[in-house]
Amino acid sequence: MTTTTPSRGRRRAPSRIERAAGKAAALQKPRVILALLLLLGLTSVMLLDGYLRAEVGGDERVRDGASSSKVPDKIINGGPIISFRGGQATTVSVPAKTIALTFDDGPNPTYTPQVLKILEKYDVPATFFLVGSMVSRYPGIVKDMVDQGNEVGIHTFTHVDLSYQSDARIRREMTQTQLALAGAAGITTTLFRAPYSSETDAIDNYSWPVYEKLGEEGYTSVFVDTDSDDWKKPGVSKIVKWATPSGTSGAAVLMHDAGGDREQTVAALPKYIEQMRAKGYTFTTVSGVIEAQNTAARAGQQANAPAGTAGGQLQGGNRNGTGRLQAAHREATGTTLYEGKALVVAVAVAEYTVPTLSVGLVIVGVAVMGRFGMMLILARRHYRLRNKRRFSWGPTVTRPVTVIVPAYNEKECIANTLQSLAKSTHPIEIIVVDDGSSDGTSEISREAARALGMTNMRVIRQENAGKPAALNNGVRNASHDIVIMMDGDTVFEPDAVHQLVQPFADPEVGAVAGNAKVGNRNTLIGAWQHIEYVMGFNLDRRMYDLLRCMPTIPGAIGAFRREAVLQVGGMSEDTLAEDTDITIAMHRAGRRVVYQEHARAWTEAPGSLKQLWSQRYRWSYGTMQALWKHRKSLTDKGPSGRFGRVGMPLVVLFQIVTPVFAPLIDVFTAYSMIFVDFRAALYAWLAVLGVQLVCAAYAFKLDKEQYRYLLMMPLQQLAYRQMMYLVLIHSCITALTGGRLRWQKLKRTGEVGTPAGVG
């Protein structure tokens, strides 16, 4: 055994890589925060959109026949407009031959503009009771409505029955709608109509306290005298008939400009206006009705008042450009105005984002399903081709090879690694490259070699320079034309080396990827990674092998022709994924890269979420670096061009783009469960899980793995996969902001022993 030691002397200055690493480390926390903020922003947008489009809980209708014993008789038998002044409830009736035309449930982008056009044509004002969520989605329609001289009132924010709601929910429904009106038209209103309300005689003990409370806060509650029942779509003639009051009675008339198909309402409205005008009726707003009563009351007071006194004052209001009174409107100012505008902007963002994400979901779903199908088909074909009796790479490779073990502080694992190599059935030379370890890795390696009687091992020490430098040092000192690279925390099965080198019988083969397996799979995190390795890594490699565009030779077990490594310049330090980098370089040099599933190595996967994040972050970011570095392969000719036009798009699609947008599946599943149809969303999620289980089960079958680990898969989809999404998003942010990382050392336990001890 020979040892190369570094020169000694004064403490060296930090290297360029170390300085860059220090700078990158300082930037990682802000990038993690940015990734989390992006996820939070997406979640908030989805929740806002869902809230706007659905009633979330508590939307129970008051039971028919409920007692009204606590409701004053003058309210039940009074007019349709209830005002509260001085703590006393009073009702207002619509004067004879007067129609207060009201519309509920809007605005609607299809029907409300048509209604407004008809009202403008006939110079008829109306009162629209608006749903706040719809106001925030279509603010332009509301502004046109108000500018045209119509009046608006509140119909809650989510069209919820307030009778059974808490005070907090009632306050929220009213406040949010006021904010939506402020943001849309710069006003607030004092008018209110409860969803599902009709005439005053329907008020009962459940709903009356709500009207009392809102009355104390200054709201005027509006009911109806005549209901067109247009929501039943009975036909134009019946809508006109049912909306017509008897005799010469005045009426607050209910129609709908939203909440469903309102074609019949739009068709009936001009006929109704013409018919009522022919009978001598005039049209006004709810405030117009109140003002008419006030005017009559003042006239009576003035008739009975002593000379020189005033009978009263007109209730405050404002007039728009048309001159029509909008007495119920108040100008929104200050915080209310700015919060309202912010709400409208947020809703606009949600309205744009969610449909865009929906399209992305379809694309991602098709890509994911397509990937599963492609993997199954090609993996089966790969298995059948490689397991045919007549299949052979060529003459059996028996010549010695060099195994390079880069090691940095591997005291827990290095002995097990060397012990597994000592059992190799293939002649090997072992080079342990100690990359400046401070834990005695070199000494432990020599002691293990002496104990095992290994005379075929060398230890080379170097100053800490990173894994690529350690591997290059090993390649330069290798004695044989085939070099095998492995990690210091990995153990080989006895025939792993022999199986791994057999493809080199084909002179076109320049590199071989082995089958890396998780050794510490008895923990929850280990089991999740075990599923991922078998399904994601090895099933993928079978597919890429057939397509001749293998993107990565795993660092845990890979073999190369030494001359090919030197030809491409060795292991590059330009990226964090030196294994992906050199694999693509092999393709571009015209070398064939294949997968040998029978060459198995057992590696120690990260044992904590923090270490797992660190490892996968490096992998993801390094892969992006490698793809960008070799982007010119897209336009190359020959083998390099083949990888660029086949392998690179597949890697970008399946390992970057699809995983980045894959959270859409989970986000929309949660969205649908909460706001749309829980059962249908659950069935859809279970169907996707079922497809994944089928793929995983087939992968386990090919690798002869125990199916019991698949019991962890549903939980993996709920927890582990979400973390991988965040890691990838974090990596994308790092790539976009130009950050850099160095080879990161993970904490090892040495629990992965010889393969015989692994279940």
Side-chain angles (χ1 to χ4, degrees):
M1 296 182 291
T2 61
T3 303
T4 302
T5 58
S7 60
R8 300 183 182 276
R10 64 184 179 86
R11 186 176 181 181
R12 64 181 177 86
S15 67
R16 176 181 61 82
I17 295 177
E18 290 170 331
R19 289 194 300 271
K23 182 179 179 181
L27 293 173
Q28 294 316 303
K29 187 173 182 179
R31 290 187 180 116
V32 173
I33 294 174
L34 181 57
L36 293 174
L37 287 176
L38 286 174
L39 182 63
L40 178 62
L42 174 62
T43 303
S44 299
V45 166
M46 297 294 294
L47 289 174
L48 175 60
D49 186 79
Y51 182 56
L52 295 174
R53 296 173 183 273
E55 301 172 20
V56 188
D59 186 24
E60 299 178 43
R61 295 290 307 278
V62 178
R63 295 186 300 270
D64 292 335
S67 173
S68 58
S69 59
K70 297 180 182 180
V71 185
D73 289 340
K74 64 178 181 178
I75 299 299
I76 293 178
N77 300 317
I81 304 171
I82 304 177
S83 298
F84 292 79
R85 295 180 181 177
Q88 296 296 319
T90 60
T91 64
V92 178
S93 298
V94 180
K97 285 201 171 184
T98 303
I99 296 294
L101 192 57
T102 67
F103 293 88
D104 280 7
D105 297 349
N108 176 279
T110 301
Y111 302 112
T112 304
Q114 296 181 54
V115 170
L116 291 176
K117 187 174 181 180
I118 294 170
L119 295 177
E120 184 177 31
K121 175 182 177 181
Y122 288 94
D123 194 24
V124 170
T127 303
F128 290 82
F129 289 93
L130 306 175
V131 177
S133 60
M134 302 296 288
V135 173
S136 61
R137 290 171 62 191
Y138 306 108
I141 298 177
V142 178
K143 189 175 188 308
D144 291 343
M145 183 185 295
V146 173
D147 289 345
Q148 187 175 310
N150 298 290
E151 197 168 47
V152 299
I154 290 176
H155 203 45
T156 73
F157 194 81
T158 59
H159 202 271
V160 65
D161 188 340
L162 298 181
S163 300
Y164 290 117
Q165 306 308 316
S166 65
D167 289 345
R169 176 70 183 271
I170 294 173
R171 188 178 304 110
R172 185 167 68 249
E173 292 284 332
M174 303 299 290
T175 301
Q176 289 174 343
T177 306
Q178 293 282 29
L179 289 177
L181 289 172
I187 63 164
T188 58
T189 183
T190 59
L191 299 182
F192 166 72
R193 173 176 283 164
Y196 312 116
S197 64
S198 56
E199 300 176 12
T200 53
D201 60 6
I203 301 174
D204 56 31
N205 294 343
Y206 292 98
S207 57
W208 177 240
V210 175
Y211 300 121
E212 283 188 305
K213 180 175 180 59
L214 292 177
E216 293 172 0
E217 296 177 1
Y219 285 100
T220 296
S221 295
V222 182
F223 293 82
V224 302
D225 290 306
T226 305
D227 190 345
S228 69
D229 279 339
D230 56 346
W231 59 274
K232 296 179 180 178
K233 294 186 284 188
V236 171
S237 60
K238 287 188 177 180
I239 291 176
V240 172
K241 178 181 178 181
W242 292 345
T244 302
S246 60
T248 60
S249 300
V253 178
L254 172 60
M255 291 186 177
H256 295 81
D257 62 323
D261 182 352
R262 296 293 173 251
E263 291 289 348
Q264 292 185 6
T265 303
V266 172
L269 182 58
K271 298 180 182 298
Y272 178 72
I273 293 173
E274 292 172 358
Q275 179 175 304
M276 298 312 295
R277 278 185 170 167
K279 291 183 177 183
Y281 276 79
T282 59
F283 291 86
T284 188
T285 61
V286 170
S287 291
V289 172
I290 297 174
E291 183 56 29
Q293 185 189 60
N294 290 340
T295 300
R298 284 196 302 272
Q301 290 173 354
Q302 289 174 346
N304 297 321
T309 63
Q313 288 186 326
L314 181 68
Q315 183 179 349
N318 67 291
R319 295 178 181 272
N320 63 13
T322 65
R324 292 194 178 96
L325 187 66
Q326 298 173 326
H329 294 173
R330 302 290 182 268
E331 183 179 357
T333 59
T335 303
T336 300
L337 179 62
Y338 292 116
E339 288 183 357
K341 290 185 178 299
L343 173 62
V344 170
V345 170
V347 172
V349 172
E351 287 286 288
Y352 173 79
T353 302
V354 172
T356 302
L357 293 178
S358 299
V359 174
L361 175 64
V362 173
I363 296 173
V364 169
V366 171
V368 169
M369 293 298 108
R371 180 193 181 193
F372 287 149
M374 184 183 298
M375 285 195 304
L376 285 175
I377 294 171
L378 296 183
R380 177 171 176 76
R381 184 179 177 188
H382 181 277
Y383 176 79
R384 296 180 67 179
L385 287 174
R386 294 292 170 83
N387 287 273
K388 286 183 177 180
R389 292 183 179 181
R390 295 182 180 179
F391 175 79
S392 174
W393 292 103
T396 302
V397 177
T398 58
R399 61 186 184 276
V401 299
T402 299
V403 178
I404 303 171
V405 186
Y408 174 68
N409 290 342
E410 299 285 1
K411 67 177 182 180
E412 295 88 356
C413 308
I414 194 66
N416 287 339
T417 299
L418 296 176
Q419 185 179 8
S420 72
L421 292 176
K423 298 178 181 179
S424 175
T425 59
H426 196 93
I428 59 174
E429 170 196 39
I430 305 170
I431 299 178
V432 176
V433 183
D434 186 346
D435 186 37
S437 298
S438 59
D439 65 347
T441 294
S442 296
E443 290 74 15
I444 295 173
S445 299
R446 296 191 195 94
E447 291 174 5
R450 285 194 293 268
L452 295 169
M454 299 172 65
T455 59
N456 57 341
M457 189 193 81
R458 288 183 285 159
V459 176
I460 300 176
R461 294 204 64 187
Q462 65 177 36
E463 288 188 349
N464 181 250
K467 185 177 180 181
L471 290 170
N472 287 333
N473 200 348
V475 172
R476 286 193 299 269
N477 286 274
S479 304
H480 305 294
D481 66 328
I482 296 176
V483 293
I484 293 175
M485 300 178 185
M486 67 181 299
D487 290 335
D489 59 353
T490 302
V491 296
F492 278 8
E493 291 187 356
D495 68 339
V497 173
H498 184 72
Q499 293 284 355
L500 190 62
V501 300
Q502 294 314 305
F504 289 108
D506 183 343
E508 292 185 2
V509 173
V512 182
N515 190 345
K517 309 187 79 62
V518 175
N520 54 329
R521 61 180 67 175
N522 292 326
T523 64
L524 183 61
I525 296 177
W528 286 342
Q529 292 176 83
H530 171 49
I531 296 172
E532 182 183 32
Y533 270 59
V534 175
M535 180 183 175
F537 296 167
N538 296 329
L539 207 59
D540 270 354
R541 287 195 179 99
R542 288 184 169 91
M543 175 182 70
Y544 287 124
D545 190 358
L546 277 184
L547 297 176
R548 294 203 172 193
C549 55
M550 183 79 63
T552 303
I553 294 176
I557 178 169
F560 302 83
R561 292 191 190 274
R562 182 173 179 271
E563 62 172 343
V565 175
L566 297 175
Q567 177 187 355
V568 300
M571 308 297 289
S572 174
E573 297 182 8
D574 294 341
T575 72
L576 294 175
E578 70 285 336
D579 45 7
T580 300
D581 192 343
I582 195 170
T583 305
I584 299 176
M586 288 283 174
H587 285 292
R588 300 191 69 187
R591 304 283 183 166
R592 185 181 173 191
V593 182
V594 300
Y595 173 55
Q596 174 57 290
E597 67 270 24
H598 301 300
R600 299 184 184 89
W602 302 80
T603 187
E604 182 178 339
S608 69
L609 293 178
K610 181 178 180 180
Q611 292 180 16
L612 179 62
W613 182 291
S614 179
Q615 182 196 67
R616 298 311 170 83
Y617 179 38
R618 178 173 59 84
W619 286 3
S620 298
Y621 182 44
T623 298
M624 295 177 194
Q625 288 178 310
L627 292 174
W628 181 253
K629 176 181 176 180
H630 295 283
R631 62 189 181 278
K632 290 185 178 179
S633 63
L634 288 167
T635 57
D636 287 347
K637 297 180 180 180
S640 178
R642 176 180 176 80
F643 177 83
R645 289 184 288 276
V646 178
M648 188 171 289
L650 287 176
V651 174
V652 171
L653 178 62
F654 291 155
Q655 295 187 27
I656 299 178
V657 176
T658 300
V660 163
F661 290 98
L664 291 176
I665 297 175
D666 298 309
V667 170
F668 270 90
T669 298
Y671 173 89
S672 300
M673 285 182 174
I674 297 172
F675 299 112
V676 184
D677 188 326
F678 177 86
R679 182 176 297 179
L682 179 61
Y683 287 161
W685 185 82
L686 291 175
V688 174
L689 177 62
V691 172
Q692 293 176 307
L693 277 171
V694 169
C695 292
Y698 186 65
F700 271 57
K701 178 182 178 181
L702 295 182
D703 267 18
K704 297 181 173 59
E705 291 286 355
Q706 298 178 21
Y707 292 111
R708 62 186 177 90
Y709 289 101
L710 294 179
L711 295 175
M712 302 288 187
M713 196 165 181
L715 187 59
Q716 182 200 44
Q717 301 301 301
L718 292 172
Y720 178 82
R721 191 173 66 175
Q722 317 309 317
M723 179 180 176
M724 294 300 101
Y725 295 157
L726 289 176
V727 169
L728 190 56
I729 293 172
H730 185 192
S731 301
C732 290
I733 293 173
T734 302
L736 292 173
T737 55
R740 288 187 59 84
L741 293 172
R742 65 171 300 184
W743 179 30
Q744 297 164 318
K745 169 65 180 173
L746 300 179
K747 183 179 179 181
R748 301 301 185 186
T749 64
E751 62 182 292
V752 179
T754 57
V758 180

